[in-house]
Amino acid sequence: MTYDFLQHYWCFIVSLLGALLVFLLFVQGANSLIFSLGHTNEERRLIANSTGRKWEFTFTTLVTFGGAFFASFPLFYSTSFGGAYWLWMLILFTFVMQAVSYEFQNKLGNILGPRTFQWFLVLNGILGPLLLGGAVATFFEGSNFIVQFDNLTNSQLPAYVLSNSEMGQLSNPVVSYWANGSHGLDALLNPWVLVFGLAVMFLARVLGMLYIINNVDDETICQRARRQLLGAAVPFVILFVAYLIHLLLKDGFAYDEMGVIFMEPNKYLHNFIEMWYLTVVLLIGVVLVLYGIYSGIANDESGMKKAIWYAGIGTVLTVLPLLLMSAWNHTAYYPSTADLQSSLTLENSCSSYFTLNTMFYVSLLVPFVLAYIVYCWRKIDSRKITREEIATDGHAY
């Protein structure tokens, strides 16, 4: 296994985790609809308990996604998570708020009342996908950071070969830093970042409605979800197509064999053409998402229940190649708008060969972990959630 293969392999693994995370955002999407789908406290508890069975999968995938990025591409982790920390702190705060809200909304002694914590779930359902989508959009739009690659190499040299200025750098060996005081929030000022973030938010709402139709055994709630499905699907399709057209037409961040970053006209269009196999997968994913939306609206009981799986698999098949387009084929996956040569690529931001090679063998356990998740999911969903279960289950949220 060559170093180049391992870099691309771990980019694939991280992208796959990111694609799975976007699918699992159906939890956030359903939570954002608690008050529009649930008109009584009992109905809102039905929705909260339905998503409450799955929120750990989303949170665990988010943590695993961050951990895989840290292990395989540590310079990205330190640059983005360390520099754009206000953006990531907001994301993590909304997810922590979600966990607290599930546990305390109906606890004795809750002085804030159930509705307060339900509104916290709605806030997580809107901000979580919006901010995560915005963070992903920076892979194409760029972020305002500077990387001092010399500090990586100088720290390996003995003191007698360093100049006084270089010795001064070692006393404060900062490798990367944000170029302004917003620490990531400036990304939200880019309208295209917001477009992609809103597309992810509306996709999460679509997936959330399809999940509720599949998981909640209540005709009233399911009918409301079907009626509102088109209202979320249309904005999602418009926003996603608009961003895709923008992506195909915009200049991209490429690099040559020497690692020099340069702007290439229509770089992402070239990626779509040259990596045609990823484009085919993306198109299949888009078709599956649209078919899932159609199945959720159509008057077919069996199709409605399966719609979440059509759309869910389609989401993974759409997001995975989109993320790979940002990094493969000599593309800078984390561009810098402050200093072009600070942009991060697979080659200049990855871990050592030893680390990537060792983790490769550990990653062979992933299919077993996925099989365990599927087993747990099937056990949890062996019986659809009902009003009677909420009324009689002492452990219900």
Side-chain angles (χ1 to χ4, degrees):
M1 290 183 292
T2 65
Y3 201 14
D4 180 70
F5 166 79
L6 290 171
Q7 290 165 352
H8 284 76
Y9 172 80
W10 277 103
C11 178
F12 174 83
I13 295 296
V14 171
S15 299
L16 179 60
L17 288 170
L20 290 171
L21 175 60
V22 174
F23 160 58
L24 291 170
L25 288 177
F26 69 77
V27 173
Q28 277 61 43
N31 284 342
S32 70
L33 298 161
I34 283 180
F35 288 97
S36 60
L37 295 182
H39 294 177
T40 66
N41 186 57
E42 182 184 38
E43 291 174 346
R44 290 191 287 271
R45 287 194 69 192
L46 265 175
I47 297 167
N49 277 271
S50 177
T51 59
R53 294 174 169 183
K54 304 297 191 311
W55 75 268
E56 291 96 338
F57 291 121
T58 308
F59 193 81
T60 302
T61 305
L62 175 63
V63 173
T64 307
F65 172 75
F69 237 140
F70 170 72
S72 52
F73 301 99
L75 189 53
F76 166 81
Y77 190 89
S78 63
T79 302
S80 181
F81 288 76
Y85 58 81
W86 280 123
L87 178 60
W88 288 108
M89 284 297 290
L90 276 175
I91 293 171
L92 291 175
F93 178 74
T94 63
F95 277 87
V96 171
M97 186 191 306
Q98 175 199 52
V100 171
S101 299
Y102 277 125
E103 294 298 331
F104 287 96
Q105 58 181 302
N106 287 295
K107 292 289 186 184
L108 292 175
N110 171 17
I111 60 174
L112 298 178
R115 287 179 66 90
T116 301
F117 287 104
Q118 288 167 356
W119 276 111
F120 286 163
L121 290 176
V122 173
L123 194 62
N124 167 253
I126 295 173
L127 289 181
L130 175 64
L131 295 176
L132 279 172
V136 170
T138 61
F139 292 170
F140 301 100
E141 303 301 324
S143 294
N144 206 4
F145 64 89
I146 295 174
V147 178
Q148 296 177 323
F149 288 101
D150 288 344
N151 281 357
L152 285 171
T153 55
N154 286 347
S155 60
Q156 308 297 322
L157 299 175
Y160 62 83
V161 302
L162 298 175
S163 65
N164 290 334
S165 62
E166 290 171 330
M167 285 295 292
Q169 286 183 347
L170 289 184
S171 64
N172 185 26
V174 176
V175 175
S176 59
Y177 58 91
W178 219 249
N180 58 45
S182 69
H183 293 290
L185 295 180
D186 54 305
L188 300 177
L189 299 177
N190 184 329
W192 287 111
V193 169
L194 287 177
V195 166
F196 193 81
L198 288 170
V200 173
M201 185 197 76
F202 280 109
L203 173 61
R205 290 168 73 89
V206 168
L207 294 173
M209 290 183 217
L210 296 178
Y211 171 75
I212 292 299
I213 293 171
N214 171 271
N215 190 253
V216 175
D217 187 10
D218 188 271
E219 185 64 24
T220 302
I221 293 177
C222 290
Q223 286 301 322
R224 287 183 193 141
R226 291 183 62 202
R227 286 196 298 269
Q228 297 181 35
L229 182 57
L230 202 59
V234 171
F236 158 67
V237 172
I238 293 173
L239 290 166
F240 180 74
V241 171
Y243 189 81
L244 200 58
I245 293 172
H246 159 73
L247 189 64
L248 295 176
L249 297 179
K250 78 185 295 289
D251 295 344
F253 300 82
Y255 63 96
D256 59 24
E257 297 296 334
M258 299 300 294
V260 177
I261 315 293
F262 62 94
M263 299 303 297
E264 179 181 323
N266 304 118
K267 170 60 177 170
Y268 300 108
L269 174 60
H270 297 160
N271 284 357
F272 274 77
I273 295 172
E274 293 167 15
M275 296 188 288
W276 58 268
Y277 45 90
L278 292 182
T279 304
V280 171
V281 174
L282 186 144
L283 291 175
I284 293 173
V286 170
V287 170
L288 282 173
V289 171
L290 294 176
Y291 183 71
I293 294 171
Y294 167 77
S295 299
I297 298 172
N299 235 358
D300 177 15
E301 184 72 23
S302 176
M304 283 189 296
K305 297 299 182 183
K306 295 177 181 177
I308 179 61
W309 300 116
Y310 299 136
I313 294 171
T315 297
V316 174
L317 295 181
T318 301
V319 176
L320 173 61
L322 199 60
L323 291 175
L324 293 176
M325 293 286 183
S326 72
W328 285 5
N329 198 34
H330 282 262
T331 310
Y333 70 89
Y334 198 49
S336 171
T337 56
D339 173 32
L340 192 60
Q341 299 311 314
S342 291
S343 302
L344 301 186
T345 68
L346 296 184
E347 284 80 1
N348 68 16
S349 64
C350 68
S351 293
S352 66
Y353 175 85
F354 174 79
T355 301
L356 296 181
N357 188 52
T358 302
M359 292 195 306
F360 171 82
Y361 294 103
V362 176
S363 72
L364 297 180
L365 297 174
V366 169
F368 297 98
V369 176
L370 290 176
Y372 176 73
I373 292 173
V374 171
Y375 171 77
C376 292
W377 188 296
R378 290 178 64 88
K379 293 293 288 184
I380 292 172
D381 278 3
S382 59
R383 186 175 58 184
K384 303 303 179 185
I385 193 166
T386 63
R387 295 175 187 254
E388 291 75 17
E389 180 182 344
I390 299 300
T392 58
D393 188 358
H395 299 288
Y397 293 122

